[in-house]
Amino acid sequence: MIKRLLVANRGEIARRVFATCRALGVETVAVHSDADAAEPFVAEADHAVRLPGAAPAETYLRVELILDAARRSGADAVHPGYGFLAENAEFAAAVTDAGLTWVGPPAKVIAAMGDKLAAKALLAEAGVPMLPSWTDTDAVTDFPVLVKASAGGGGRGMRIVREADGLAEAVASARREAAAAFGDGTVFIERYVERGRHVEVQIFGDAHGRVVALGDRECSIQRRHQKIVEEAPAVVPERVRTALHEAAVAAGRAVDYLGAGTVEFLLAPGGEFFFLEMNTRLQVEHPVTELCTGLDLVALQLLVAEGEPLPATLPVSTGHAIEVRLCAEDATAGWRPATGTLHRFAVPQVAAEFGGLAGPGLRLDSGVVADSVVGTHYDSMLAKLIVWGRTRAEATRLLSTALARAELHGVTTNRDLLVRVLRSPAFAAVEIDTGFLDRHAEVFAPLLPADRFPLAALAAALASAAGRRAAAPVMAGLPSGWRNVPAVPQVTRFSGPDGAVEVRYRLDRRGGLAEWSAEPGAAKPGAAEPGAAVLGVAAPDTAARTGADATAKRPAVALVEATPGRVVLDVDGVRHAYRVHRVGSAVFVDGPDGAASLAELPRLPLPTAAVAAGSLLAPLPGAVARVHVQVGQRVSAGDPLLTLEAMKLEHPVVAPTDGVVAELPVPTGGQVRTGTVLAVIDTTEENPR
């Protein structure tokens, strides 16, 4: 039996495996890079070993370091989690050769399925349906096609190509990304199915020759070919489900599969399906299968690794489970990864973490906690929220509500997008496929409507004022800005998502809100921008002074309560509570309509160094992977200037306008921080053409 298990991975999956080990009485060993030394998964392990030397992004890929950690910690088994080394046949063989128990399929199976081209040929002989594919670009005549990495997964190294002119560059780009992510730049080309759905089957095999299907999952809603919403079971006709399960089991039997695996298919609109790949590991979305079956898939992995047979009777899937991947990224800016400190991470209604959910409710599998630092070295996923309900509609409502109410402060996330997807009529009607996000631009809108943002800004200003009064050394109970003869309003300026916002308000003698407004901020406090529209609304007495027409358009707002952490406003007779969290100058507001992140600006700002006109600033920390232009070169708007690499993904930087490249201060390979000048474009007319 396994006594001490080393998890050769990090973050959420390490915590997930540790949770099962605690329940089974198995000791745990964490390995970590220097960048991860303070992360929760390290603290939760019984033993932890630092992996020295290599850059943080490469540390977990060093086989010799992992094996040395196992030896030094006394581990007798290794679980690879998912990603990193989970599908590395050489690593699986090295673990076995070292006399350790490998929690996964044999190295020969990983090797056979790791090469997607070889896997397609092998499984086609077993009767699994396949899409046509090519390795020679000249052989491709029908478009659209999909360029895919032969090794690895997670959507990396994938490109959709709709015309022949773009095929060569797509192949070259996919090769670079695949080589960076998996150490193997081999790619192939496959026919692309429009409106296809991504459906997969969870299989399990034991050492006694048994291979079973434990249910199916719908994973069609994706960004950059990476799943962000998954559910079980897939909403398909029973005849299709039966055929999917039979094909998946046939694939498993063809390679004598052992352990947990997933066979992924592309489901065409007419019900025909095709093999995509077999993932020889536990999937990120495995919790939805756990909630529908009541099984602990990690416990089954350990059972099979110890040579035991699968249970003779396995439960059938019941109810419906949905999982969303909460990622540190800006969905409205090309999925740009986000970094920073997660000042608050609080999800309401969580009934269980990493398993153990009984009945309808919410489960949280998270790699982060409050005050975790999100860097650029690893994948952007922060956590998974998973819900089980008796019906799909029930599960959707519970998950979307909990997600909307979560307090996620300090790091930009895709939370609003996920809520919009779950609440969209198309999702409710199961009108989904892998191109869902391309067709539904409305889900990229923030949850907080533009006309409610001023109320959030007002709440931030009132809470900040209450905080200052609470900290005052004398007369702390006096309302902020109190005057014997009230006349001049209080003014607080914030930096918001769309620029500066100036909030003005005046309290009456009883501390109530006499008047207020929120306008686009100006260069100087107290001076409105020419022609700036009033964003805010006014209290009843102000509305009366501005005429009946303004009264009809503006709701009446009254102050009910204002403390440093909570502001309650009465808007047209309906009370709205806002939770306010301040960290330094940053102010985070969570209200009934959505969340807002603001930064309070100083009343008397200090002068700062000017940035040259035409400067392009780094949108995130990373490394300059390639520079595509030279100083003195004329460029047009949209031309690629350079490519940044961060979180193992490429991020192109393009010219915002026509001009001449005046400066390229960062060379290829140079590391940059957010705000670093990457290039300067001279747009003056006298520039020679």
Side-chain angles (χ1 to χ4, degrees):
M1 294 182 66
I2 296 172
K3 296 180 180 179
R4 184 174 295 179
L5 179 72
L6 182 149
V7 177
N9 215 301
R10 62 180 299 277
E12 168 265 328
I13 184 55
R15 299 184 75 195
R16 165 70 190 91
V17 176
F18 293 162
T20 289
C21 288
R22 284 193 296 271
L24 297 178
V26 177
E27 292 185 49
T28 56
V29 180
V31 291
H32 66 87
S33 65
D34 289 337
D36 278 343
E39 289 302 298
F41 78 94
V42 179
E44 291 175 5
D46 296 313
H47 311 276
V49 180
R50 172 181 174 266
L51 300 178
E58 301 172 2
T59 302
Y60 295 94
L61 301 178
R62 297 279 296 276
V63 173
E64 73 279 9
L65 296 182
I66 302 294
L67 294 179
D68 181 63
R71 178 186 58 79
R72 289 193 286 143
S73 64
D76 59 352
V78 173
H79 191 301
Y82 43 66
F84 292 123
L85 298 173
E87 293 179 295
N88 185 316
E90 293 181 0
F91 179 52
V95 169
T96 303
D97 291 343
L100 304 173
T101 298
W102 168 251
V103 183
K108 65 177 183 179
V109 174
I110 297 176
M113 294 297 100
D115 184 337
K116 294 184 176 63
L117 284 171
K120 284 168 66 75
L122 175 63
L123 299 186
E125 294 181 5
V128 181
M130 298 289 167
L131 284 167
S133 59
W134 307 268
T135 55
D136 181 3
T137 56
D138 293 334
V140 182
T141 56
D142 294 326
F143 291 84
V145 296
L146 184 65
V147 180
K148 300 176 67 174
S150 183
R156 293 187 175 93
M158 296 181 70
R159 304 287 189 276
I160 297 174
V161 183
R162 298 190 178 278
E163 297 180 355
D165 290 346
L167 184 57
E169 173 54 30
V171 168
S173 177
R175 282 175 177 160
R176 289 193 301 267
E177 189 169 283
F182 315 121
D184 183 349
T186 304
V187 300
F188 65 98
I189 306 161
E190 196 171 68
R191 180 164 66 86
Y192 180 70
V193 177
E194 299 280 6
R195 297 282 181 124
R197 289 169 58 184
H198 189 132
V199 179
E200 61 189 33
V201 178
Q202 175 72 62
I203 65 169
F204 239 97
D206 62 23
H208 303 271
R210 188 178 176 205
V211 178
V212 298
L214 296 181
D216 45 81
R217 300 185 285 253
E218 174 79 54
C219 307
S220 295
I221 297 181
Q222 306 174 358
R223 60 98 168 96
R224 287 185 168 181
H225 310 292
Q226 289 183 309
K227 308 160 190 174
I228 57 172
V229 180
E230 301 108 338
E231 52 184 314
V235 183
V236 296
E238 283 305 312
R239 62 174 179 81
V240 174
R241 190 186 322 280
T242 299
L244 285 166
H245 288 202
E246 290 175 349
V249 170
R253 288 175 176 162
V255 293
D256 297 324
Y257 200 81
L258 179 70
T262 302
V263 186
E264 304 193 355
F265 297 97
L266 186 66
L267 181 64
E272 189 179 12
F273 61 85
F274 307 94
F275 173 81
L276 285 176
E277 62 184 1
M278 180 189 289
N279 285 303
T280 52
R281 55 175 168 82
L282 200 65
Q283 291 280 82
V284 176
E285 58 272 18
H286 76 273
V288 293
T289 297
E290 292 186 322
L291 295 190
C292 287
T293 61
L295 293 168
D296 182 330
L297 297 188
V298 175
L300 280 184
Q301 283 187 296
L302 300 182
L303 181 78
V304 168
E306 291 174 336
E308 296 296 322
L310 289 166
T313 303
L314 292 165
V316 296
S317 178
T318 60
H320 203 90
I322 306 174
E323 170 184 296
V324 293
R325 302 189 191 187
L326 184 68
C327 298
E329 61 189 15
D330 188 345
T332 64
W335 309 104
R336 185 175 67 207
T339 59
T341 300
L342 198 58
H343 298 299
R344 180 170 292 174
F345 182 76
V347 182
Q349 302 166 254
V350 172
E353 293 189 60
F354 304 106
L357 182 66
L362 182 70
R363 164 178 160 178
L364 174 66
D365 286 16
S366 173
V368 297
V369 294
D371 295 325
S372 286
V373 176
V374 180
T376 61
H377 304 301
Y378 308 113
D379 187 89
S380 63
M381 190 177 78
L382 302 175
K384 304 179 308 194
L385 278 71
I386 318 102
V387 68
W388 184 87
R390 285 175 286 265
T391 65
R392 186 174 186 266
E394 179 182 275
T396 301
R397 181 177 61 192
L398 178 56
L399 181 55
S400 64
T401 300
L403 192 57
R405 292 175 178 171
E407 296 182 29
L408 311 169
H409 300 167
V411 178
T412 301
T413 73
N414 62 341
R415 182 264 302 276
D416 286 12
L417 172 93
L418 295 173
V419 175
R420 291 280 190 193
V421 168
L422 293 172
R423 291 178 174 174
S424 69
F427 183 83
V430 202
E431 295 172 355
I432 54 180
D433 57 71
T434 56
F436 182 91
L437 295 181
D438 296 330
R439 293 193 310 280
H440 293 280
E442 70 276 7
V443 301
F444 289 86
L447 278 181
L448 184 65
D451 62 348
R452 308 302 278 184
F453 176 80
L455 292 171
L458 174 62
L462 293 171
S464 294
R468 288 191 291 270
R469 292 311 306 154
V474 294
M475 294 187 289
L478 203 63
S480 176
W482 188 89
R483 297 290 187 275
N484 188 40
V485 180
V488 180
Q490 294 280 82
V491 179
T492 306
R493 299 181 71 246
F494 297 100
S495 172
D498 297 316
V501 177
E502 185 174 274
V503 178
R504 290 170 166 261
Y505 65 92
R506 183 171 61 82
L507 302 180
D508 59 27
R509 294 181 181 276
R510 297 181 300 276
L513 189 64
E515 61 177 290
W516 77 281
S517 67
E519 304 176 3
K524 296 181 180 179
E529 291 180 346
V534 174
L535 295 175
V537 291
D541 61 340
T542 303
R545 290 197 300 272
T546 58
D549 183 61
T551 304
K553 293 180 180 179
R554 296 177 179 175
V557 180
L559 175 60
V560 178
E561 175 189 349
T563 67
R566 175 181 163 89
V567 172
V568 180
L569 300 175
D570 184 304
V571 183
D572 279 341
V574 179
R575 291 191 176 187
H576 300 272
Y578 295 86
R579 306 182 303 280
V580 184
H581 176 212
R582 186 181 183 109
V583 181
S585 62
V587 185
F588 306 99
V589 182
D590 293 281
D593 301 304
S597 297
L598 303 162
E600 187 169 345
L601 300 175
R603 293 174 181 268
L604 301 172
L606 296 174
T608 57
V611 176
S615 295
L616 277 76
L617 308 183
L620 74 165
V624 175
R626 288 179 307 286
V627 178
H628 306 292
V629 294
Q630 298 177 339
V631 172
Q633 181 176 335
R634 175 161 288 280
V635 295
S636 300
D639 285 351
L641 302 179
L642 49 88
T643 300
L644 277 180
E645 186 175 301
M647 292 186 176
K648 296 185 178 290
L649 294 174
E650 292 186 347
H651 307 276
V653 177
V654 301
T657 185
D658 297 351
V660 173
V661 179
E663 296 180 34
L664 289 169
V666 185
T668 300
Q671 296 286 329
V672 299
R673 297 182 177 181
T674 302
T676 299
V677 177
L678 298 173
V680 178
I681 305 298
D682 187 347
T683 59
T684 56
E685 288 296 327
E686 58 269 21
N687 241 308
R689 292 185 178 272

